[in-house]
Amino acid sequence: MRKLLIIHSDERIQSSVREYLTNEYSFEIDCLANSSLITNADELATYDGIVCENRYVDSEGRNIVGGQNLINFIIDHSIKKPVVILGEMEIDYGSFVSLPSRFSLRDISLQLIKSLNITDEELRHLKMPDFVSVEIANFYQLSNPCCDIYIKMTKTGVDHFVKRIYANDVLDKDIVRRYENNNLSHFFVQKEDFEKLMGQILSQSLTKVVKAFKEDKKIMEISSDTFEISQNLLNEIGITPQTVKLAKTSIVAMTKTVSGSKKLSTLLRSLLENETTYAFKRNYLTSLFFYQIIPNLGWGRGEQLKQTMDKVCYICFFHDILLREEKLLKIHSLDDMAFVDLTNEEKKLVLEHANMTTTLLQEISGIPTGIDVIVRQHHGSLNGVGFPDVYTSNLSPLAICFIVIEKYVVEILKSIEAKEKLKLNSILLELDEFFHLSSYRKIIFELKSLIN
Ligand SMILES: [Fe+2]
Ligand SMILES: [Fe+2]
């Protein structure tokens, strides 16, 4: 078996290259984080070949030409082993070769076959099993895997592979961590998917590294988690991956339907393209709760239910679409309004946005009927103007559902923004105190059942 040393400071890249070469070519592989860790020339000479990144950032943020340092070391100690440098470097002579900074796994393997003189005969002997294992940490930064992912179960001595994550499913670090916490160390993929998947993992990691060098920032900062709606949060609030899928499909369908209206589609696009804004998060989370509980509300089945569901997305994403600023979006009562410094136009907009949006929606053909009514009532007033003192039960059931869910989402986001621990039960308790009518409390009950 041939022995190979991989030197790369990015753990993900290191491990995807290693997994690929181990599985595809049965190399025996050791890894190092960077070339400064090499001190023993005899030890280095025991490898058949070395794969090393061109440069890395050290712990003090300095840019180090690791590949060049390795080559110098090899020349100084007269070690005659082939080296493949990952990323551009001006030293293509003899047994030293460099690959472009966006290399593929195939590039590495072809180069190794050449550099190590691996024969066809040798390659034929290497046969992968039907399911190939991939170390679980490789999946941390993979958001939408390009193929189905399996776990291995062993029953009465026989291995079974069970599909757990579907191709293009939403995946994030927290989901992966949960498997890891259950003592799972490897996922499995079908052998025909293996190369494609490893390529995807590698290219996502490479994009981050290449970008980091371009912007001359530390890689850590680039790959650190940004504030977004994570799968972890969704699990905590009781939203299933199926619901996320449903919401995403509905959003796409809605975008197509409104594409005929220039004004509306421009407004919608700017909302949907900015996923980290407060507006997007609030609308999106509201729609997710809606989709999650709607089947439990006894509003019919089949076609009837589908018609109701079709409306949800429009209500959630359009009701406040005229309010372009976060400070306006955060006004839910006359009291709130008194605390914010507003121009007269802004005041008018806040008080009348529900009614104004209704008028806008009425001009669009092809959207589900009845949305205008719910949008008009979304702050609880029948004519879409102002904020009523009390919530009544003579609103449309969808409007009532919307009012409760949105209030829940507002409180959740408040808590996240304040970096507090999310206490869903106490938020729901507050909602119970706030809404007195049973038509409203029925919705709270459903929200509670998502987490208990
Ligand atoms: Fe709203
Ligand atoms: Fe509103």
Side-chain angles (χ1 to χ4, degrees):
M1 197 183 287
R2 293 176 191 261
K3 239 177 111 190
L4 211 62
L5 177 66
I6 297 176
I7 305 169
H8 208 294
S9 58
D10 185 280
E11 245 180 272
R12 298 282 75 75
I13 295 176
Q14 187 192 95
S15 103
S16 50
V17 174
R18 188 192 61 220
E19 293 266 357
Y20 175 73
L21 294 174
T22 316
N23 282 299
E24 196 98 3
Y25 297 101
S26 310
F27 286 123
E28 186 190 324
I29 294 179
D30 289 328
C31 289
L32 278 181
N34 65 61
S35 53
S36 75
L37 301 166
I38 297 170
T39 46
N40 188 329
D42 292 339
E43 210 180 300
L44 193 62
T46 64
Y47 293 99
D48 295 295
I50 303 149
V51 177
C52 178
E53 68 187 325
N54 56 349
R55 53 188 179 174
Y56 64 94
V57 178
D58 73 2
S59 56
E60 280 154 49
R62 291 174 303 192
N63 197 336
I64 309 288
V65 286
Q68 185 66 60
N69 295 346
L70 172 76
I71 302 274
N72 293 346
F73 185 88
I74 284 183
I75 294 173
D76 289 349
H77 293 84
S78 317
I79 300 167
K80 295 197 170 44
K81 298 290 166 151
V83 176
V84 178
I85 298 289
L86 303 178
E88 275 122 33
M89 201 176 109
E90 276 178 45
I91 187 144
D92 284 359
Y93 62 83
S95 49
F96 310 132
V97 180
S98 82
L99 296 177
S101 51
R102 282 186 180 278
F103 55 88
S104 68
L105 292 169
R106 190 35 73 91
D107 293 337
I108 303 180
S109 64
L110 288 178
Q111 189 54 55
L112 283 173
I113 289 171
K114 213 164 128 193
S115 301
L116 301 178
N117 293 320
I118 299 176
T119 61
D120 288 351
E121 171 70 357
E122 237 178 305
L123 285 175
R124 267 195 295 278
H125 283 297
L126 309 167
K127 197 179 168 298
M128 275 201 280
D130 288 344
F131 284 88
V132 186
S133 69
V134 182
E135 205 176 282
I136 202 160
N138 283 300
F139 292 84
Y140 283 162
Q141 295 193 356
L142 189 67
S143 41
N144 297 82
C146 62
C147 65
D148 297 336
I149 292 164
Y150 298 74
I151 60 169
K152 184 166 86 175
M153 312 255 249
T154 308
K155 251 188 226 160
T156 54
V158 185
D159 290 343
H160 296 274
F161 293 92
V162 185
K163 197 186 290 185
R164 291 311 281 270
I165 297 161
Y166 288 78
N168 294 318
D169 258 4
V170 181
L171 192 63
D172 72 10
K173 210 189 243 173
D174 296 315
I175 302 183
V176 178
R177 281 262 156 80
R178 262 188 294 138
Y179 282 100
E180 226 173 5
N181 293 341
N182 283 322
N183 293 326
L184 196 77
S185 61
H186 289 79
F187 280 132
F188 287 81
V189 294
Q190 289 186 304
K191 71 172 168 200
E192 50 274 23
D193 292 332
F194 178 68
E195 186 176 335
K196 202 168 82 185
L197 177 78
M198 295 316 290
Q200 191 193 12
I201 292 172
L202 176 72
S203 81
Q204 292 200 354
S205 307
L206 276 180
T207 306
K208 290 200 176 85
V209 172
V210 172
K211 221 165 116 193
F213 273 110
K214 245 190 211 150
E215 295 167 8
D216 206 25
K217 277 187 190 159
K218 280 191 198 154
I219 296 160
M220 278 310 290
E221 285 165 4
I222 296 281
S223 53
S224 72
D225 297 338
T226 50
F227 171 54
E228 55 193 21
I229 300 168
S230 68
Q231 188 59 45
N232 191 31
L233 172 68
L234 296 177
N235 292 334
E236 201 175 336
I237 61 182
I239 304 291
T240 62
Q242 287 86 336
T243 300
V244 173
K245 232 182 213 173
L246 177 67
K248 288 193 169 164
T249 319
S250 312
I251 293 172
V252 173
M254 170 176 72
T255 315
K256 278 190 194 140
T257 306
V258 300
S259 63
S261 156
K262 196 156 180 279
K263 179 159 188 198
L264 224 50
S265 57
T266 311
L267 287 169
L268 183 63
R269 204 178 318 120
S270 84
L271 180 60
L272 295 177
E273 280 172 1
N274 295 297
E275 294 192 7
T276 52
T277 58
Y278 177 78
F280 176 85
K281 283 180 211 165
R282 195 166 88 187
N283 295 339
Y284 181 55
L285 281 176
T286 306
S287 75
L288 289 176
F289 278 117
F290 240 120
Y291 284 121
Q292 191 70 45
I293 66 168
I294 243 180
N296 310 334
L297 293 172
W299 290 350
R301 297 175 137 198
E303 191 49 32
Q304 205 183 353
L305 182 63
K306 196 188 159 296
Q307 281 179 11
T308 313
M309 286 195 149
D310 279 345
K311 296 179 189 173
V312 166
C313 209
Y314 290 86
I315 300 166
C316 295
F317 284 94
F318 279 120
H319 71 283
D320 280 338
I321 203 145
L322 295 177
L323 304 180
R324 315 281 292 150
E325 273 179 83
E326 202 172 313
K327 71 168 183 190
L328 304 183
L329 285 167
K330 289 183 171 169
I331 299 172
H332 308 283
S333 65
L334 293 174
D335 280 349
D336 288 345
M337 207 161 111
F339 281 107
V340 194
D341 211 8
L342 297 176
T343 64
N344 285 338
E345 281 98 85
E346 284 173 330
K347 274 184 197 156
K348 187 173 167 2
L349 186 63
V350 169
L351 290 172
E352 296 182 17
H353 73 277
N355 194 39
M356 288 160 77
T357 314
T358 306
T359 315
L360 190 66
L361 287 172
Q362 282 163 344
E363 291 163 14
I364 315 300
S365 59
I367 62 176
T369 51
I371 293 164
D372 50 344
V373 178
I374 298 142
V375 168
R376 188 187 288 130
Q377 298 178 352
H378 84 261
H379 284 286
S381 85
L382 282 170
N383 64 0
V385 178
F387 302 97
D389 294 332
V390 286
Y391 289 99
T392 62
S393 55
N394 59 356
L395 303 178
S396 145
L398 262 177
I400 291 177
C401 189
F402 175 86
I403 289 169
V404 177
I405 292 179
E406 193 181 47
K407 188 159 175 60
Y408 187 39
V409 171
V410 165
E411 297 304 323
I412 289 175
L413 288 175
K414 233 187 242 171
S415 160
I416 294 176
E417 278 181 339
K419 296 201 162 57
E420 292 165 0
K421 187 166 168 21
L422 201 50
K423 291 186 186 129
L424 296 170
N425 275 316
S426 36
I427 295 178
L428 288 163
L429 225 76
E430 279 169 35
L431 292 193
D432 251 337
E433 280 165 25
F434 188 82
F435 296 109
H436 300 282
L437 298 167
S438 63
S439 46
Y440 292 76
R441 287 193 164 168
K442 183 176 152 193
I443 310 299
I444 302 174
F445 176 82
E446 291 302 332
L447 294 172
K448 267 185 201 159
S449 64
L450 296 182
I451 53 165
N452 293 319

